[in-house]
Amino acid sequence: MTAITLAAPLAGWAMPLSEVPDPAFAQGLVGTGMAIDPTVNELRSPCDGTVLSIHRARHACTVRTASGAEVLLHLGVDTVGLNGEGFTAHVRDGQSVKTGDRLISFDMDLVGSRAQSLVSMMVVVNDGYTVDGQSVDREIAAGDAAMTVHGGSGADAGLPAAGPDSEEEGEGETGERSVVLPIANGLHARPAAALVAATKAYPGTVTLHCRDRRANAKSVVALMGLGTVLGDRLTVRAAGPGAQDMAESIAVLIEGGLGDPVVAGAGSQAAPAASPAAAPAQPAAEEEIGAPFAAGEEVLLKGTIAVPGQAVGTVARRFRTTARVVEQGAGAQVEEPRLRRALERVVAGLTQSAQRMPEHAAIFQAHRELLDDPELLDGALADIRSGKSAEWSWQCTARRQADALAALADPRMAERAADLRDLEQQVLTALSGKEPDVGLAELPAGSIVLADEILPSDLAGVPAGRLAGIGMAHGGPTSHAVILAAALGVPTVVALGRQAERVPDGAPVVIDGNRGELLVFPPEDTLAATRTAVAARTARREENRRSSREECRMADGTRIEVFANLGRVSDAPGAVVEGAEGCGLLRTEFLFLERQSAPTEDEQYQQYQQIADALEGRPLVIRTLDVGGDKPLSYLPLPKEENPVLGLRGVRVGLREPELLRAQIRAILRVKPAGVCRIMVPMIASPSELQAVRAMVDEERLRLGRAEPIELGAMIEVPAAALIADRIGAVADFLSIGTNDLTQYVLAMDRGNPHVAAQLDALHPGVLRLIRLAVMGAKTHDRVVAVCGGSASDPMAAPLLIGLGVTELSATPAVIADLKAFIRTLRMEDCRRVAEAALGTDSADEVRRLVTETWPAL
């Protein structure tokens, strides 16, 4: 008989389970073990083993030992109701752990004030094991020997944890009953234990099915691992003598709440979209958008700048229509191979696209990784096995995931929904047997495409110079399609709204990516003047590129540095060609997104070093990870927030997850030559936050044996930071203003909201006044102030920012040559005069008018 000693997962007062203020644990219904009233905020593994499951509310974790014992670690009593708030998981399902590894950390003040008790349980939940030697009624330290587990031959039969749904094998009597879960917090430990107690004596098998997963109803861990929520439709299936009666009795127990309060009307709260048998969501009733614009009816549509530039052309409409698919299939033996062949065909197409555009191969690799997502494939296969067609199953699953992404508050993450919609269409095309759509490659030269949303596959085969411009009714400025449009040099405006659908095919238009505008049926003289201006700008751009590598000085000799914003390794060489004098903002999120675990220190170092090498010794400003409540990472669980844009973001996440931040700091410190890199910290709101990061930097620098200091800067994105820039400047080596976030916070407009995106203008006088305050505060300590937000790429903003005292601009690489050439024509005296006048206006429109009156060539 195998014996293993479990270490205490927490420090605190150890007590027997019978003293736990929860009858399910106290009466041994969940399992046998002990409890600890904790004095620390970290739960650690009591043994070597494998993480079976982290509960969706992150208050509980199950570790399986090598002998098969399943050890449930449950933090507090009735903590499931916090829905993850106050808890942070540091491991994931299936991860191997060693004794003492950190599993979950928690906010003791928050959890203690809102839970019934902080008393935490460690119990063995599966059969075939006995527990003795519990070290109780004393103070215990984390890691001390706590109790001994014996056994290993009698573990539960059946599914040990929740798994993909499939038909059970076997013969004999079977029974089935469906029921809606009426428990507010789903099948957490207490109701799961009650359900197990009701099924243990049954000689046959009992399984519980929810969405595309099933669980052994005789296993607490498996039931908790289902991740059920209020309103879920469950199917109870029994096999054995009296199977139907057993299924009925279990369903009745579930309807009665299994000891938890029953929520009235729970059946009405079931979410049909979560069910594998739910039909793909159909569009809501179309809002009335009006008749097509009449020829000669001049109309100005305003959107959001995505790719700068101007163009004249004729409209090619590419608004998508939803094709209905047949729901019922010809059986899993037919439909599953069809889907797998279609997926293989799409993967081959992605490989070809990556070969055609090697500098953007990462985009198509991201699509490949989406296709490899097991949740996507498993969801579709579950539908197929229930009798649905491959088309219906794929469309249903892809749309469900796309809708979930689109609902995220962060524009960059929500825009990944476009990638899923792209893959949905590609797979449906492959299933139809048709050749892949040629996208926009066959459009006449000079076309300006209007669409609800352009997809990356639409642009994969488009040769440079074919399209004149792109306008989208929806979409965002950081989508993969916009990245490809920028690579092609195609002026692009997004978030034009549904009025863009009224523009008829073939209508003459002027698209202005510098202003975020689309002018429909412009007068002939406007068309002619724009064509002339575009031709002159093209010639001027070629001239500007010839001098782009020269340093940037104003006409009066004032030095202004022009850096590039970079988002991946492949951006760096092109930025140097365009004249970038360094990188003023490296968005490191590209290393952390669209993957299942955080990049290692070595992975980060290698990428940073490659960028530094490509910049050939020029400065490299690396922004620490800017994710949080509105930019979730699957492997970084954070509390659900009602307003994530105002929650855990930027530096707040770094200080909450110090090991993640320290690994990034170490990777940056290792880049050679020492001194080429600077560290920039996002979302700073107070000097203390930057001081905390500086302490980490100094500690890691000493550990690495690096003598040279490294510059540490603060991003000014929060209005409060602009107001106290003098205080922040006392602990920062430089300041960099992020105008995108600063503008949305100042104007109280979510930059991801298409209803207000067109009004979000960083040249609003309120924003400009805060920039002036930030510059004035920085001057008290002689700190350099840069702008690395969208304003730095807007030529109209350059004289204003320079006039307000900014001496460094970090822009999109494509505009750098033109931006440097324009700055060389400016005089500081004029810039200061116009900037001062701009501060006295009432709107961004007035500010822009003032700039164009002073510099008409813009």
Side-chain angles (χ1 to χ4, degrees):
M1 215 179 198
T2 303
I4 181 172
T5 298
L6 299 183
L10 296 154
W13 182 259
M15 63 179 71
L17 277 182
S18 58
E19 296 181 12
V20 172
D22 183 318
F25 284 100
Q27 296 170 20
L29 297 179
V30 178
T32 56
M34 60 183 287
I36 299 173
D37 192 357
T39 56
V40 295
N41 68 344
E42 289 186 336
L43 177 75
R44 296 187 176 273
S45 180
C47 58
D48 294 354
T50 303
V51 177
L52 270 187
S53 67
I54 292 285
H55 192 276
R56 61 175 177 77
R58 298 189 291 278
H59 71 300
C61 173
T62 305
V63 178
R64 176 187 277 162
T65 69
S67 64
E70 295 171 4
V71 184
L72 171 63
L73 304 161
H74 192 289
L75 289 165
V77 176
D78 282 344
T79 45
V80 66
L82 296 179
N83 290 317
E85 187 174 0
F87 295 94
T88 302
H90 301 285
V91 291
R92 60 186 182 279
D93 293 0
Q95 181 174 330
S96 295
V97 291
K98 296 289 187 182
T99 303
D101 282 355
R102 185 170 59 160
L103 303 176
I104 301 171
S105 56
F106 57 102
D107 185 328
M108 292 186 72
D109 291 336
L110 185 151
V111 176
S113 66
R114 294 173 59 180
Q116 180 182 340
S117 170
L118 272 176
V119 171
S120 301
M121 287 64 71
M122 176 169 67
V123 295
V124 176
V125 296
N126 53 337
D127 287 341
Y129 296 88
T130 59
V131 172
D132 61 25
Q134 293 98 319
S135 184
V136 296
D137 296 323
R138 72 174 184 90
E139 285 287 342
I140 194 168
D144 283 356
M147 66 186 196
T148 303
V149 180
H150 302 274
S153 59
D156 284 341
L159 290 174
D165 204 352
S166 64
E167 292 302 316
E168 283 80 24
E169 296 180 358
E171 299 178 356
E173 187 178 346
T174 60
E176 180 176 311
R177 162 77 189 279
S178 291
V179 60
V180 173
L181 186 64
I183 302 171
N185 296 310
L187 290 173
H188 59 101
R190 184 168 51 242
L195 185 54
V196 168
T199 59
K200 275 284 175 96
Y202 181 66
T205 61
V206 183
T207 53
L208 205 62
H209 301 244
C210 180
R211 297 187 290 278
D212 60 345
R213 296 174 70 78
R214 64 172 176 149
N216 182 356
K218 298 182 181 183
S219 166
V220 171
V221 174
L223 291 172
M224 292 175 65
L226 277 176
T228 53
V229 296
L230 174 67
D232 270 343
R233 180 165 292 280
L234 310 178
T235 300
V236 183
R237 291 179 184 166
Q244 187 60 44
D245 289 342
M246 186 62 187
E248 293 283 350
S249 64
I250 294 300
V252 170
L253 287 174
I254 293 172
E255 288 173 335
L258 294 165
D260 268 27
V262 171
V263 178
S268 64
Q269 299 184 40
S275 166
Q282 299 302 327
E286 293 289 321
E287 62 176 281
E288 193 61 44
I289 61 170
F293 296 127
E297 179 184 358
E298 186 178 352
V299 179
L300 180 65
L301 300 180
K302 292 186 70 67
T304 299
I305 298 169
V307 181
Q310 265 189 329
V312 174
T314 55
V315 166
R317 290 171 54 91
R318 285 297 182 271
F319 291 96
R320 298 181 188 274
T321 57
T322 302
R324 292 190 176 273
V325 298
V326 175
E327 180 174 348
Q328 293 305 312
Q333 299 87 346
V334 174
E335 301 296 338
E336 183 172 336
R338 288 185 62 232
L339 178 59
R340 292 188 183 278
R341 285 195 298 270
L343 291 171
E344 290 171 0
R345 185 173 171 186
V346 172
V347 166
L350 292 172
T351 302
Q352 292 172 2
S353 295
Q355 292 169 349
R356 285 197 298 269
M357 303 184 76
E359 69 279 18
H360 294 287
I363 291 176
F364 302 105
Q365 178 59 31
H367 279 204
R368 170 68 184 269
E369 290 172 1
L370 280 174
L371 283 180
D372 288 340
D373 184 341
E375 290 294 322
L376 194 61
L377 180 58
D378 290 349
L381 292 179
D383 282 346
I384 285 175
R385 289 163 188 167
S386 68
K388 310 302 181 184
S389 71
E391 289 86 351
W392 193 94
S393 301
W394 177 259
Q395 187 179 74
C396 179
T397 305
R399 288 189 181 182
R400 188 161 60 238
Q401 290 204 15
D403 289 345
L405 286 173
L408 297 176
D410 173 40
R412 284 175 293 183
M413 290 301 294
E415 284 162 2
R416 299 293 82 83
D419 296 333
L420 265 176
R421 287 191 283 271
D422 191 347
L423 291 171
E424 176 197 331
Q425 293 302 316
Q426 291 188 59
V427 174
L428 289 177
T429 298
L431 283 167
S432 73
K434 298 177 182 176
E435 287 300 313
D437 193 335
V438 294
L440 309 177
E442 300 303 320
L443 287 176
S447 294
I448 292 181
V449 177
L450 289 188
D452 38 16
E453 192 169 23
I454 293 294
L455 303 176
S457 60
D458 293 328
L459 294 171
V462 177
R466 173 61 56 84
L467 299 180
I470 295 173
M472 303 188 209
H474 309 299
T478 61
S479 69
H480 280 156
V482 168
I483 292 171
L484 294 178
L488 293 170
V490 180
T492 303
V493 178
V494 298
L496 286 165
R498 292 204 59 204
Q499 290 299 301
E501 295 181 38
R502 299 180 61 189
V503 182
D505 212 37
V509 294
V510 170
I511 192 165
D512 192 334
N514 301 322
R515 298 172 180 266
E517 296 176 349
L518 182 75
L519 185 60
V520 186
F521 291 120
E524 190 55 46
D525 57 343
T526 300
L527 286 171
T530 305
R531 288 191 185 98
T532 300
V534 169
R537 188 170 286 115
T538 301
R540 191 163 62 245
R541 174 167 175 70
E542 290 305 311
E543 179 64 29
N544 293 341
R545 292 189 72 179
R546 283 193 281 272
S547 61
S548 65
R549 296 222 183 184
E550 299 173 11
E551 70 174 24
C552 185
R553 292 188 178 275
M554 298 173 67
D556 55 17
T558 304
R559 179 76 166 101
I560 302 294
E561 291 183 295
V562 180
F563 287 3
N565 294 337
L566 305 179
R568 55 181 51 81
V569 174
S570 59
D571 290 345
V576 172
V577 170
E578 293 293 339
E581 300 175 52
C583 169
L585 167 62
L586 174 62
R587 299 182 178 95
T588 58
E589 292 74 47
F590 77 97
L591 278 164
F592 292 80
L593 297 174
E594 295 168 350
R595 55 186 294 156
Q596 300 304 309
S597 60
T600 64
E601 177 187 328
D602 282 341
E603 284 181 281
Q604 295 186 63
Y605 159 67
Q606 290 165 7
Q607 296 283 296
Y608 302 151
Q609 187 65 62
Q610 286 181 46
I611 294 171
D613 292 343
L615 290 175
E616 301 169 349
R618 297 173 178 83
L620 170 57
V621 180
I622 301 178
R623 183 178 70 185
T624 58
L625 181 62
D626 188 13
V627 296
D630 67 334
K631 307 169 189 174
L633 300 175
S634 61
Y635 51 86
L636 182 66
L638 294 169
K640 183 178 180 181
E641 301 178 89
E642 290 191 13
N643 195 344
V645 176
L646 301 179
L648 286 170
R649 291 194 57 193
V651 67
R652 300 166 189 170
V653 174
L655 295 178
R656 180 188 173 97
E657 300 288 335
E659 287 309 312
L660 197 68
L661 179 55
R662 285 180 180 274
Q664 187 166 33
I665 289 170
R666 288 193 297 272
I668 297 170
L669 288 169
R670 291 169 58 188
V671 175
K672 303 295 183 185
V676 73
C677 287
R678 306 169 191 169
I679 298 175
M680 185 163 68
V681 187
M683 295 298 292
I684 290 291
S686 68
S688 62
E689 292 171 326
L690 196 65
Q691 286 173 327
V693 177
R694 186 178 289 281
M696 290 186 190
V697 171
D698 289 342
E699 289 169 8
E700 297 302 334
R701 182 167 60 85
L702 292 175
R703 285 175 186 165
L704 289 172
R706 170 174 162 157
E708 303 89 351
I710 188 169
E711 289 190 38
L712 182 69
M715 286 197 72
I716 305 298
E717 302 166 279
V718 179
L723 295 171
I724 61 168
D726 57 330
R727 308 294 301 162
I728 293 174
V731 295
D733 296 312
F734 63 94
L735 302 181
S736 188
I737 300 171
T739 53
N740 297 347
D741 271 317
L742 182 63
T743 303
Q744 78 166 345
Y745 290 136
V746 171
L747 300 183
M749 293 179 180
D750 180 359
R751 58 194 175 109
N753 186 333
H755 301 292
V756 296
Q759 304 168 53
L760 202 65
D761 195 325
L763 296 195
H764 188 285
V767 179
L768 297 178
R769 289 188 179 209
L770 278 178
I771 292 174
R772 180 175 67 169
L773 285 173
V775 172
M776 290 172 62
K779 278 185 178 178
T780 62
H781 303 283
D782 290 327
R783 303 303 189 211
V784 169
V785 179
V787 169
C788 63
S791 287
S793 300
D794 181 358
M796 297 190 75
L800 299 173
L801 297 174
I802 291 169
L804 292 172
V806 172
T807 57
E808 178 190 309
L809 300 175
S810 190
T812 301
V815 307
I816 288 176
D818 292 341
L819 184 60
K820 291 175 77 171
F822 176 49
I823 291 172
R824 291 187 184 110
T825 69
L826 301 175
R827 294 183 176 277
M828 184 60 77
E829 180 184 358
D830 296 330
C831 293
R832 287 175 176 158
R833 172 177 53 79
V834 176
E836 191 64 33
L839 297 176
T841 62
D842 295 330
S843 70
D845 287 341
E846 288 184 53
V847 172
R848 290 188 179 277
R849 238 185 341 264
L850 186 63
V851 173
T852 52
E853 287 171 359
T854 309
W855 294 281
L858 278 172

